Coordinates of all heavy atoms in Angstrom, one line a residue:
I14 N -140.6 -49.0 113.6 CA -140.6 -49.0 112.1 C -141.4 -50.1 111.5 O -142.2 -49.9 110.6 CB -139.1 -49.0 111.6 CG1 -138.4 -47.7 111.9 CG2 -139.1 -49.2 110.1 CD1 -136.9 -47.8 111.6
C15 N -141.3 -51.3 112.1 CA -142.2 -52.4 111.7 C -143.6 -52.1 111.9 O -144.5 -52.5 111.1 CB -141.8 -53.7 112.4 SG -140.1 -54.3 112.0
I16 N -144.0 -51.5 113.0 CA -145.4 -51.1 113.3 C -145.9 -50.1 112.3 O -147.0 -50.2 111.8 CB -145.5 -50.6 114.8 CG1 -145.2 -51.7 115.7 CG2 -146.9 -50.0 115.0 CD1 -145.1 -51.3 117.2
I17 N -145.0 -49.1 111.9 CA -145.4 -48.2 110.9 C -145.7 -49.0 109.6 O -146.6 -48.7 108.8 CB -144.3 -47.1 110.7 CG1 -144.3 -46.2 111.9 CG2 -144.6 -46.3 109.4 CD1 -143.1 -45.3 112.0
A18 N -144.8 -49.9 109.3 CA -145.0 -50.7 108.0 C -146.3 -51.5 108.0 O -146.9 -51.7 107.0 CB -143.8 -51.7 107.9
I19 N -146.8 -51.9 109.2 CA -148.1 -52.6 109.3 C -149.2 -51.7 108.7 O -150.1 -52.2 108.1 CB -148.4 -53.0 110.7 CG1 -147.4 -54.2 111.2 CG2 -149.8 -53.5 110.9 CD1 -147.5 -54.5 112.7
H20 N -149.1 -50.4 109.0 CA -150.1 -49.5 108.6 C -149.9 -48.9 107.2 O -150.9 -48.3 106.7 CB -150.2 -48.4 109.6 CG -150.6 -48.9 111.0 ND1 -151.9 -49.3 111.3 CD2 -149.8 -49.0 112.1 CE1 -151.9 -49.7 112.6 NE2 -150.7 -49.5 113.1
T21 N -148.8 -49.0 106.6 CA -148.5 -48.4 105.3 C -148.3 -49.3 104.2 O -148.3 -48.9 103.0 CB -147.3 -47.5 105.4 OG1 -146.1 -48.3 105.8 CG2 -147.5 -46.4 106.4
Y22 N -148.2 -50.6 104.4 CA -148.1 -51.6 103.3 C -146.9 -51.3 102.4 O -147.2 -51.1 101.2 CB -149.4 -51.8 102.6 CG -150.6 -52.1 103.5 CD1 -151.5 -51.1 103.7 CD2 -150.7 -53.3 104.1 CE1 -152.6 -51.3 104.5 CE2 -151.8 -53.5 104.9 CZ -152.8 -52.5 105.1 OH -153.8 -52.7 105.9
P23 N -145.7 -51.2 102.8 CA -144.6 -50.7 102.0 C -144.2 -51.6 100.8 O -143.6 -51.1 99.9 CB -143.5 -50.5 103.0 CG -143.8 -51.5 104.0 CD -145.3 -51.6 104.2
F24 N -144.5 -52.9 100.9 CA -144.1 -53.8 99.9 C -145.2 -54.2 99.0 O -145.0 -55.1 98.1 CB -143.5 -55.0 100.5 CG -142.4 -54.7 101.5 CD1 -142.6 -54.9 102.9 CD2 -141.2 -54.2 101.1 CE1 -141.6 -54.6 103.8 CE2 -140.2 -53.9 102.0 CZ -140.4 -54.1 103.4
A25 N -146.4 -53.6 99.1 CA -147.5 -54.0 98.3 C -147.3 -53.8 96.8 O -147.8 -54.6 96.0 CB -148.8 -53.2 98.7
S26 N -146.6 -52.7 96.4 CA -146.4 -52.5 95.0 C -145.3 -53.4 94.4 O -145.2 -53.6 93.2 CB -146.0 -51.0 94.8 OG -144.8 -50.7 95.5
I27 N -144.4 -53.9 95.3 CA -143.4 -54.8 94.8 C -143.9 -56.2 94.7 O -143.7 -56.8 93.6 CB -142.2 -54.7 95.8 CG1 -141.6 -53.3 95.9 CG2 -141.1 -55.7 95.4 CD1 -140.7 -53.1 97.1
N28 N -144.4 -56.7 95.8 CA -144.9 -58.1 95.7 C -146.0 -58.2 96.8 O -145.7 -58.2 98.0 CB -143.8 -59.1 95.9 CG -144.2 -60.5 95.8 OD1 -145.4 -60.9 96.0 ND2 -143.3 -61.4 95.4
P29 N -147.2 -58.4 96.4 CA -148.3 -58.5 97.4 C -148.1 -59.6 98.5 O -148.4 -59.5 99.6 CB -149.6 -58.7 96.6 CG -149.2 -58.2 95.3 CD -147.8 -58.4 95.1
F30 N -147.6 -60.8 98.0 CA -147.3 -61.9 98.9 C -146.3 -61.5 100.0 O -146.5 -61.8 101.2 CB -146.9 -63.2 98.2 CG -146.6 -64.3 99.1 CD1 -147.7 -65.0 99.8 CD2 -145.3 -64.7 99.4 CE1 -147.4 -66.0 100.7 CE2 -145.1 -65.7 100.3 CZ -146.1 -66.4 100.9
I31 N -145.2 -60.9 99.6 CA -144.1 -60.5 100.5 C -144.7 -59.5 101.5 O -144.4 -59.5 102.7 CB -142.9 -59.9 99.8 CG1 -142.2 -61.1 99.0 CG2 -142.0 -59.2 100.7 CD1 -141.1 -60.6 98.1
D32 N -145.5 -58.5 101.0 CA -146.1 -57.5 101.8 C -147.0 -58.2 102.9 O -146.9 -57.9 104.1 CB -146.9 -56.5 101.0 CG -147.4 -55.4 101.9 OD1 -146.6 -54.6 102.4 OD2 -148.7 -55.3 102.0
Y33 N -147.8 -59.2 102.4 CA -148.7 -59.9 103.4 C -147.9 -60.7 104.4 O -148.2 -60.6 105.6 CB -149.6 -60.8 102.6 CG -150.5 -61.6 103.5 CD1 -151.7 -61.0 104.0 CD2 -150.2 -62.9 103.9 CE1 -152.6 -61.7 104.8 CE2 -151.1 -63.6 104.7 CZ -152.2 -63.0 105.2 OH -153.1 -63.7 106.0
A34 N -146.9 -61.4 103.9 CA -146.1 -62.2 104.8 C -145.3 -61.4 105.9 O -145.2 -61.8 107.0 CB -145.1 -63.0 104.0
L35 N -144.8 -60.2 105.5 CA -144.1 -59.4 106.4 C -145.1 -58.6 107.3 O -144.9 -58.6 108.6 CB -143.2 -58.4 105.7 CG -142.0 -59.1 105.0 CD1 -141.2 -58.0 104.2 CD2 -141.1 -59.7 106.1
T36 N -146.0 -57.8 106.7 CA -146.8 -56.9 107.5 C -147.9 -57.6 108.3 O -148.3 -57.1 109.4 CB -147.4 -55.8 106.7 OG1 -148.2 -56.3 105.6 CG2 -146.2 -54.9 106.1
R37 N -148.5 -58.6 107.7 CA -149.6 -59.3 108.4 C -149.2 -60.5 109.2 O -150.0 -60.9 110.1 CB -150.6 -59.7 107.3 CG -151.2 -58.6 106.5 CD -152.2 -57.9 107.4 NE -152.8 -56.8 106.6 CZ -153.6 -56.0 107.1 NH1 -153.9 -56.0 108.3 NH2 -154.2 -55.0 106.3
V38 N -148.0 -61.0 109.0 CA -147.6 -62.2 109.8 C -146.4 -61.8 110.7 O -146.5 -61.8 111.9 CB -147.3 -63.3 108.8 CG1 -146.8 -64.5 109.6 CG2 -148.5 -63.7 108.0
L39 N -145.3 -61.5 110.1 CA -144.0 -61.4 110.8 C -144.0 -60.1 111.7 O -143.7 -60.2 112.9 CB -142.8 -61.3 109.9 CG -141.5 -61.3 110.5 CD1 -141.2 -62.6 111.3 CD2 -140.4 -61.2 109.5
F40 N -144.4 -59.0 111.2 CA -144.3 -57.7 111.9 C -145.4 -57.6 113.0 O -145.3 -56.8 113.9 CB -144.5 -56.5 111.0 CG -143.3 -56.3 110.1 CD1 -143.4 -55.4 109.1 CD2 -142.1 -57.0 110.2 CE1 -142.3 -55.1 108.2 CE2 -141.0 -56.8 109.4 CZ -141.1 -55.9 108.4
R41 N -146.4 -58.5 113.0 CA -147.4 -58.5 114.0 C -146.9 -58.8 115.4 O -147.4 -58.3 116.4 CB -148.6 -59.4 113.7 CG -149.4 -59.0 112.5 CD -150.2 -57.8 112.8 NE -150.8 -57.4 111.6 CZ -151.7 -56.4 111.6 NH1 -152.1 -55.8 112.7 NH2 -152.2 -56.0 110.5
I42 N -145.8 -59.5 115.5 CA -145.2 -59.8 116.8 C -144.5 -58.5 117.4 O -144.3 -58.5 118.6 CB -144.2 -61.0 116.7 CG1 -143.8 -61.5 118.0 CG2 -142.9 -60.5 115.9 CD1 -144.9 -62.2 118.8
C43 N -144.2 -57.5 116.6 CA -143.6 -56.3 117.1 C -144.4 -55.5 118.0 O -143.9 -54.9 118.9 CB -143.2 -55.5 115.9 SG -142.0 -56.2 114.8
V44 N -145.7 -55.5 117.8 CA -146.6 -54.7 118.7 C -146.6 -55.2 120.1 O -146.3 -54.4 121.0 CB -148.1 -54.7 118.1 CG1 -149.0 -54.0 119.1 CG2 -148.1 -54.1 116.7
P45 N -146.8 -56.5 120.4 CA -146.7 -56.9 121.8 C -145.3 -56.7 122.4 O -145.2 -56.3 123.6 CB -147.2 -58.3 121.8 CG -147.4 -58.7 120.4 CD -147.3 -57.5 119.6
I46 N -144.3 -57.0 121.7 CA -143.0 -56.8 122.2 C -142.6 -55.4 122.5 O -142.1 -55.0 123.5 CB -141.9 -57.5 121.3 CG1 -142.1 -59.0 121.2 CG2 -140.5 -57.1 121.7 CD1 -141.3 -59.7 120.2
F47 N -143.1 -54.5 121.6 CA -142.9 -53.0 121.8 C -143.6 -52.6 123.1 O -143.0 -51.9 123.9 CB -143.4 -52.3 120.6 CG -143.3 -50.8 120.7 CD1 -142.1 -50.2 120.3 CD2 -144.3 -50.0 121.2 CE1 -142.0 -48.8 120.4 CE2 -144.2 -48.6 121.3 CZ -143.0 -48.0 120.9
L48 N -144.8 -53.1 123.3 CA -145.5 -52.8 124.5 C -144.9 -53.3 125.8 O -144.9 -52.7 126.8 CB -147.0 -53.2 124.4 CG -147.8 -52.5 123.4 CD1 -149.2 -53.1 123.3 CD2 -148.0 -51.0 123.7
M49 N -144.3 -54.5 125.7 CA -143.6 -55.1 126.8 C -142.4 -54.3 127.2 O -142.1 -54.1 128.4 CB -143.3 -56.6 126.5 CG -144.5 -57.5 126.6 SD -144.0 -59.2 126.5 CE -143.7 -59.4 124.8
I50 N -141.6 -53.9 126.2 CA -140.4 -53.1 126.5 C -140.8 -51.8 127.1 O -140.2 -51.4 128.1 CB -139.6 -53.0 125.2 CG1 -139.0 -54.3 124.7 CG2 -138.4 -52.0 125.4 CD1 -138.3 -54.3 123.4
T51 N -141.8 -51.1 126.5 CA -142.3 -49.9 127.1 C -142.8 -50.1 128.5 O -142.5 -49.3 129.4 CB -143.4 -49.3 126.2 OG1 -142.9 -49.1 124.9 CG2 -143.9 -47.9 126.8

């Protein structure tokens, strides 16, 4: 779900800074961890 959020910018209309902080910073760690678990 976090990886989908990286591609859809779900918080951009609410607050651009929050969207950037979550999708471009925090959620980026999800991709390598998802690949490691797989």
Side-chain angles (χ1 to χ4, degrees):
I14 292 172
C15 294
I16 292 168
I17 292 168
I19 290 171
H20 298 286
T21 59
Y22 310 105
F24 307 109
S26 62
I27 299 168
N28 186 330
F30 177 75
I31 290 174
D32 186 67
Y33 179 83
L35 289 176
T36 60
R37 298 288 182 184
V38 179
L39 185 62
F40 290 172
R41 292 290 172 172
I42 192 68
C43 296
V44 175
I46 293 174
F47 181 87
L48 291 174
M49 284 188 283
I50 292 172
T51 302

